[in-house]
Amino acid sequence: MIKPRVKKPPVVSLRILPSAMTVAAICLGLSAVKMALDDRPTEAMAFLAVAAILDALDGRIARILKATSRMGEEIDSLADAVNFGVAPAFIVYATLLSQSRIGWIVVLLYAVCIVLRLARFNAMLDVAKPAYEKEYFVGMPAPAGAIGAIGPLAAKMQFGEGWWTSEPAVVIWMIGVSLLVVSTLPMRKIHTFSVSQNMVAPLLALLAIGVAASILYGYIVILLIIVAYVIHIPFAIRTRRFLAAHPEVWGDKPRQQRQARRAIRRAQPHRRSVKRLGLRRPGS
């Protein structure tokens, strides 16, 4: 007797998970706008933070599941434009610049700069570049721009009203962030920093402290992240300039590159002294 085949219920593939996370991030970003319009800035920043976390994870999960696709890339770019361009612009306008005559122009400038930055990033994906260029962003990345944009709001929530919430200060700040976003300044990618084995345990302990601080003192953590990111820019410019001028170290590990940079820096005063005295090096 032949047994009838039993139809199995369709199984939803995990390959849809990255796209689902991206769509959820878009929903959270737009919900952050609603929270700001409802005069709930704390919830707005929290929603924006969760959206940023999902945006950071969806691409990695897609690569792990081997679920990358052209459609996923397009949705991800749309999510970046919404979460890091449109949402922060509306949040800043609703909470800080709604009474300003030029407030809407300033937030429009920021949102457009984020979109232009994302378009440039996508256009440069297929451009052949030296290996060291993969360690740097060109201009401030969109997530960092979003954190920078809400900096004055974080300062207001932590310290109250002050010069940092005045119209001129917020306008100048937003214009500065917008210019950094579309600039060609190199910004180091976080995952390219090398960590020695001896520093793993201390860094994990610092991470635990950072998570606890984010829960208890979230606004201060946002401000510290902004300060740390701005401070790192001159070092990123110097390091990239060194790599561009010394192709012989491109294949070295980061530790070896640092040693070479220190050795060259130590030799610089001697070279300047020789040049200043009008002396010639032996054999020249």
Side-chain angles (χ1 to χ4, degrees):
M1 181 178 179
I2 300 176
K3 295 182 179 180
R5 293 182 179 179
V6 179
K7 293 185 178 180
K8 296 181 180 180
V11 179
V12 178
S13 173
L14 286 177
R15 293 171 63 87
I16 199 176
L17 180 60
S19 296
M21 294 175 63
T22 306
V23 172
I26 295 175
C27 294
L28 287 169
L30 294 175
S31 297
V33 174
K34 182 181 184 303
M35 294 296 106
L37 295 175
D38 292 342
D39 196 21
R40 298 166 65 181
T42 300
E43 290 86 346
M45 287 189 283
F47 276 44
L48 196 62
V50 178
I53 293 172
L54 290 178
D55 179 80
L57 293 176
D58 59 3
R60 289 169 175 79
I61 292 178
R63 287 188 289 271
I64 292 173
L65 298 177
K66 297 180 180 179
T68 56
S69 65
R70 183 63 181 173
M71 179 177 178
E73 294 175 358
E74 295 296 335
I75 296 176
D76 188 65
S77 294
L78 175 61
D80 289 344
V82 171
N83 296 335
F84 306 132
V86 176
F90 270 98
I91 291 172
V92 171
Y93 180 77
T95 57
L96 297 173
L97 294 176
S98 60
Q99 303 301 319
S100 171
R101 293 182 178 180
I102 62 172
W104 184 243
I105 298 175
V106 171
V107 297
L108 278 180
L109 171 66
Y110 166 79
V112 170
C113 286
I114 288 290
V115 172
L116 293 175
R117 191 257 178 273
L118 292 171
R120 182 178 64 187
F121 175 80
N122 292 335
M124 293 178 63
L125 289 176
D126 299 328
V127 177
K129 296 175 290 185
Y132 72 89
E133 290 284 3
K134 297 180 181 179
E135 299 179 359
Y136 299 90
F137 290 112
V138 178
M140 181 178 285
I147 295 174
I150 64 173
L153 177 58
K156 176 183 178 181
M157 300 302 296
Q158 180 64 42
F159 305 112
E161 299 284 347
W163 62 265
W164 48 86
T165 58
S166 63
E167 178 183 346
V170 177
V171 167
I172 293 173
W173 179 264
M174 291 296 292
I175 293 175
V177 173
S178 302
L179 294 178
L180 283 176
V181 166
V182 295
S183 71
T184 57
L185 296 176
M187 311 278 177
R188 189 71 180 267
K189 295 180 180 179
I190 295 178
H191 67 271
T192 62
F193 286 95
S194 60
V195 179
S196 63
Q197 292 291 335
N198 297 331
M199 292 298 298
V200 172
L203 285 177
L204 290 176
L206 287 176
L207 177 62
I209 295 173
V211 172
S214 300
I215 297 173
L216 299 176
Y217 307 101
Y219 305 124
I220 292 180
V221 170
I222 291 174
L223 296 175
L224 289 176
I225 291 174
I226 294 172
V227 171
Y229 201 90
V230 172
I231 290 175
H232 112 281
I233 295 176
F235 296 96
I237 294 173
R238 185 187 64 177
T239 304
R240 182 181 176 277
R241 187 177 298 164
F242 168 80
L243 291 174
H246 297 85
E248 67 275 7
V249 302
W250 289 357
D252 295 345
K253 294 181 179 180
R255 183 177 181 181
Q256 296 171 330
Q257 292 178 355
R258 288 194 296 269
Q259 291 174 349
R261 189 165 63 250
R262 294 192 192 101
I264 293 174
R265 192 184 305 123
R266 284 194 295 267
Q268 290 298 329
H270 172 70
R271 294 177 182 175
R272 285 195 294 267
S273 299
V274 170
K275 184 177 180 180
R276 187 163 47 246
L277 293 173
L279 302 176
R280 294 184 179 181
R281 291 182 296 177
S284 61

